[in-house]
Amino acid sequence: MNLDEVYQELILDHYKRPRCKGVLLSPDRKVDLNNPLCGDQISLTLKFTGETISEIAFDGHGCSISQATASIMAELLRGKTKDDARRLSGLFRGMIKSQIEGDALNDLGDALALEGVKRHSARIKCALLAWDCIDRGLAEGDGAASLRDEMPR
Ligand code: FES
């Protein structure tokens, strides 16, 4: 099995057996985003302890890339600080936009399995739906406990 096949298996596994799936009760932040092109949707709920993401869960429906990415992302970010999560989000975007490559991406862990998406421009929005949710969930100063929106085109 080559690395591409291992990554395909990993994505499929997260799609079929999503981690951190569900909705947190009394979350500190809730973000709902959908991809207007296909209607796929992710709802992310977050609880913080100080600066740490102590609990994270996602719910939603959609293509295997969008849902597997949400599962991988949630597992990766659980227990991380907000600053770390922002850094990892930047790394993921850099990877998907072919701006960052190689060892610099190692902290992405299982999310490296999604690197191949960068070669399929139509799927990039699928892979960014969950990360757009976390970016909004971590955004300071908007004062809203619950955000519902469409992802930017
Ligand atoms: Fe809708 Fe992937 S096809 S997010």
Side-chain angles (χ1 to χ4, degrees), residues 33-44:
L33 277 182
N34 73 81
N35 183 340
L37 300 176
C38 58
D40 293 353
Q41 191 253 335
I42 288 178
S43 175
L44 189 72

Side-chain angles (χ1 to χ4, degrees), residues 53-69:
I53 300 171
S54 46
E55 292 183 58
I56 179 170
F58 82 97
D59 203 4
H61 58 84
C63 69
S64 56
I65 296 293
S66 70
Q67 303 303 302
T69 304

